[in-house]
Amino acid sequence: MAIEIRIPTILRTYTDGAKAVDAKGATLQELIDDLEAGHPGLKDRLIDKGALRRFVNVYLNDEDVRFLGGLETPVADGDTVTVLPAVAGGAR
Amino acid sequence: MLTISRELVDKIIAHARADHPDEACGVVAGPIGSDSPERFVAMENAERSPTFYRFDSLEQLRVWREMDDLDEEPVIIYHSHTATEAYPSRTDISYASEPNAHYVLVSTREELGEKAEFRSYRIVDGVVNEEEVTITLG
């Protein structure tokens, strides 16, 4: 069971420039662990202290996984996971 | 250097004024590799705050996919500062995540009156470089 994960420009140094990579797993957490095996360092850019980083958006198909089950969100064959760095900032 | 049309500059400033005193934000998309800002996309500031902005995550996904489909990239990522100068703050620098983008800042702080400050930066790996802005007619 392979699921496509779309990688943003800034993280493509971990994927040899690939825009999308495949990984396996039944939940987002398993997917990210599998991703890390093939692309060391990527997990740390997505997860901090066991939770998704606050300024990284991860989507399952059309939904932000924060509104689903976070890292526990189940994933299935044919799903697409998209990673986008949040665009944020402020005056302080 | 950022080269941008007067029309797009006016649209960005108009958006900043419309959302004042909250920060306004958005992108100007252009063909990948062209460095040419063309398509203005005002975004929702999900924070609705005078001191912070963040693109709404679902809107961002929609806009990023649209750019993907059109072979575009975010040539400009803009936001406003409504009480301080148009210079990237520490938060702006730490969250800057598009190394190819021009980060445009507009200040609508009161002391500027009718004038707005419009400046552009490259922000890569925590390093800020201000760049010249050339405004073309049209």
Side-chain angles (χ1 to χ4, degrees), chain A residues 6 9-10 54-55 57 59 61-64 66-67 82 84-92, chain B residues 23 51-55 57-58 60-61 64-65 68 77 81 84 89-92 95 97 100:
Chain A
R6 301 187 64 86
T9 316
I10 198 165
R54 198 171 150 222
F55 289 97
N57 296 331
Y59 307 90
N61 302 319
D62 295 331
E63 284 296 328
D64 186 329
R66 283 190 188 85
F67 305 131
T82 306
L84 287 182
V87 180
R92 285 176 189 160
Chain B
E23 293 195 5
T51 53
F52 201 75
Y53 81 98
R54 179 176 182 147
F55 286 6
S57 70
L58 294 179
Q60 188 188 345
L61 177 66
W64 256 243
R65 274 200 186 143
D68 234 15
I77 293 175
H81 284 173
T84 55
S89 65
R90 257 197 344 223
T91 15
D92 291 335
Y95 301 137
S97 52
N100 299 328

Side-chain angles (χ1 to χ4, degrees), chain B residues 88-106:
Chain B
S89 65
R90 257 197 344 223
T91 15
D92 291 335
I93 297 163
S94 59
Y95 301 137
S97 52
E98 293 285 349
N100 299 328
H102 300 268
Y103 281 86
V104 162
L105 274 102
V106 173

Side-chain angles (χ1 to χ4, degrees), chain B:
Chain B
M1 183 176 79
L2 171 66
T3 304
I4 182 173
S5 71
R6 166 55 56 191
E7 186 191 347
L8 285 168
V9 171
D10 289 347
K11 279 182 180 171
I12 291 170
I13 292 173
H15 182 205
R17 287 205 191 289
D19 283 13
H20 186 93
D22 286 346
E23 293 195 5
C25 56
V27 301
V28 185
I32 290 173
S34 70
D35 203 32
S36 170
E38 292 176 7
R39 193 166 62 86
F40 173 76
V41 187
M43 306 278 292
E44 188 91 14
N45 177 2
E47 303 285 330
R48 293 177 200 284
S49 157
T51 53
F52 201 75
Y53 81 98
R54 179 176 182 147
F55 286 6
D56 174 80
S57 70
L58 294 179
E59 185 181 32
Q60 188 188 345
L61 177 66
R62 202 171 64 237
V63 170
W64 256 243
R65 274 200 186 143
E66 202 171 67
M67 287 192 285
D68 234 15
D69 291 344
L70 296 168
D71 292 318
E72 290 175 338
E73 61 187 350
V75 177
I76 290 174
I77 293 175
Y78 73 85
H79 77 282
S80 64
H81 284 173
T82 58
T84 55
E85 74 169 317
Y87 191 85
S89 65
R90 257 197 344 223
T91 15
D92 291 335
I93 297 163
S94 59
Y95 301 137
S97 52
E98 293 285 349
N100 299 328
H102 300 268
Y103 281 86
V104 162
L105 274 102
V106 173
S107 175
T108 55
R109 64 186 189 277
E110 227 157 84
E111 68 197 62
L112 294 172
E114 290 299 294
K115 282 193 286 187
E117 196 182 10
F118 185 102
R119 293 164 72 179
S120 182
Y121 306 86
R122 293 287 191 173
I123 308 176
V124 181
D125 293 333
V127 179
V128 178
N129 278 302
E130 182 159 15
E131 57 183 3
E132 202 181 312
V133 177
T134 301
I135 299 174
T136 59
L137 293 175

